[in-house]
Amino acid sequence: MNIHIAEHYGICFGVRDALALAERMANEGPLTTLGQLVHNPVARERLEGLGVREGNLDKGHERVTHRVLITAHGSSDAERARWRASGHVVEDATCPLVRFAHGQLRRLVKEGCFPVIIGKHGHVEVEGLAGDFEGAAVIETEEDIADVPVHALYGVISQTTQPIDRVRRLVAALRAARPEARVYFRDTVCRPTKDRQEALRKLMRAVEVVIVVGGRNSNNTRELVETVRAAGLTAHHVERADELRWEWIDGVEEVGITGGTSTLPETVEQVRLRLIEITNQHERMR
Ligand code: SF4
């Protein structure tokens, strides 16, 4: 069996910097991240080992330390103000590319557009983007377009981890549904997400099965899984190496590995080594 690793995979600079900041701050004193710093169980366990807590204003203050950290997914200004008003020192690990998306939406609204965000309902980044614009519309699928209020001008951005093809398709669908309106679109899908999607497409040309490594609640990891399945190949989503099963690769000659933008490089390496290990074990038994 040959193992192919995607050209671009795993942790992006935004997540890497957020983790480094949280670790540095945890060494200086008690810290609570406002939600999951990254959507990856291995990275979260590492932070937990340093005493970092996860908190949420709506769930009460009991477990929240004086210093709190906004995650790489960002937050609305209103939410930041809420934490400050409740007496917390608010530090910020928002990724610069999420900030860019906030800035683009703010500019479009200033120019008179009604705000539209293409992304996943309820995702922390999408809530942060929508949070400062009351009534902002979120489009996750074509069906959501019917609920977008009628306006003459729309300003559209997207969650940074959406597949760009889907974003463009939804923008086209909005234009088709509102032919009388002007729809201004700003591409805010981040470069690391595009790189991982493009690298996966290249990888799929060489393999039969793809192992996607990453948190089950990681949006961009799940998008990688969906991309593989939509192309008619088999994808297996694992968070850790010990989830790999022999049946998945029995008889497979070319297997690929990729990982989402919150997946640590050591987890991908453990998956690669475990694939070799279980293959060798079964070779010996033949
Ligand atoms: Fe930043 Fe993109 Fe990484 Fe999100 S996935 S933290 S936007 S680089």
Side-chain angles (χ1 to χ4, degrees):
M1 182 185 69
N2 297 310
I3 300 174
H4 306 252
I5 310 258
E7 229 167 70
H8 296 278
Y9 70 90
I11 200 162
C12 61
F13 78 94
V15 170
R16 188 197 59 217
D17 291 355
L19 276 171
L21 177 62
E23 287 178 4
R24 205 166 55 239
M25 289 181 69
N27 288 328
E28 291 163 359
L31 179 69
T32 303
T33 62
L34 301 184
Q36 297 182 9
L37 186 75
V38 291
H39 292 155
N40 182 287
V42 182
R44 285 172 66 207
E45 277 164 22
R46 203 156 94 184
L47 291 173
E48 206 182 319
L50 293 171
V52 177
R53 299 176 185 179
E54 286 176 4
N56 184 323
L57 198 54
D58 298 327
K59 290 188 186 144
H61 285 265
E62 311 81 56
R63 276 184 48 79
V64 180
T65 54
H66 184 55
R67 284 185 322 158
V68 297
L69 180 65
I70 291 170
T71 71
H73 307 101
S75 155
S76 64
D77 290 344
E79 186 68 6
R80 272 191 188 83
R82 239 165 39 107
W83 279 101
R84 287 203 178 102
S86 63
H88 292 278
V89 172
V90 181
E91 304 282 354
D92 207 337
T94 304
C95 174
L97 300 184
V98 174
R99 280 185 201 281
F100 173 75
H102 278 263
Q104 291 296 306
L105 188 60
R106 202 171 301 119
R107 185 179 294 184
L108 286 163
V109 170
K110 217 167 159 188
E111 287 165 1
C113 296
F114 176 79
V116 177
I117 299 148
I118 294 178
K120 204 164 171 42
H121 291 290
H123 188 281
V124 59
E125 182 189 326
V126 174
E127 288 192 342
L129 286 164
D132 289 324
F133 305 101
E134 215 188 317
V138 175
I139 300 178
E140 184 172 341
T141 65
E142 268 89 352
E143 287 75 65
D144 293 325
I145 291 174
D147 299 328
V148 176
V150 173
H151 284 273
L153 297 176
Y154 294 100
V156 185
I157 61 147
S158 88
Q159 183 181 359
T160 53
T161 51
Q162 287 288 309
I164 187 64
D165 297 347
R166 182 191 303 153
V167 171
R168 291 193 193 286
R169 201 180 65 233
L170 289 171
V171 172
L174 176 63
R175 286 193 171 120
R178 302 289 153 79
E180 71 291 348
R182 275 202 240 155
V183 177
Y184 295 99
F185 167 58
R186 302 285 179 266
D187 177 3
T188 55
V189 176
C190 74
R191 177 40 61 192
T193 292
K194 286 175 180 159
D195 285 345
R196 279 148 192 72
Q197 285 277 342
E198 279 162 24
L200 176 60
R201 269 189 279 278
K202 197 166 160 199
L203 180 74
M204 287 191 300
R205 292 201 281 273
V207 302
E208 307 150 72
V209 169
V210 182
I211 310 292
V212 183
V213 190
R216 292 197 209 291
N217 61 344
S218 156
N219 185 60
N220 74 87
T221 304
R222 287 202 309 237
E223 297 291 357
L224 293 172
V225 173
E226 274 180 35
T227 301
V228 177
R229 291 184 181 152
L233 294 186
T234 303
H236 297 292
H237 183 174
V238 296
E239 290 186 337
R240 305 161 197 270
D242 59 11
E243 294 169 34
L244 289 169
R245 304 230 305 259
W246 166 245
E247 309 88 85
W248 295 349
I249 49 167
D250 187 8
V252 174
E253 285 182 5
E254 309 294 335
V255 60
I257 307 178
T258 188
T261 53
S262 50
T263 306
L264 301 176
E266 54 265 39
T267 312
V268 173
E269 178 59 5
Q270 285 157 5
V271 165
R272 189 184 73 82
L273 293 175
R274 180 70 188 139
L275 276 177
I276 295 170
E277 190 182 27
I278 55 178
T279 306
N280 289 343
Q281 276 169 0
H282 282 82
E283 287 297 318
R284 280 199 294 274
M285 281 159 52
R286 276 186 212 274

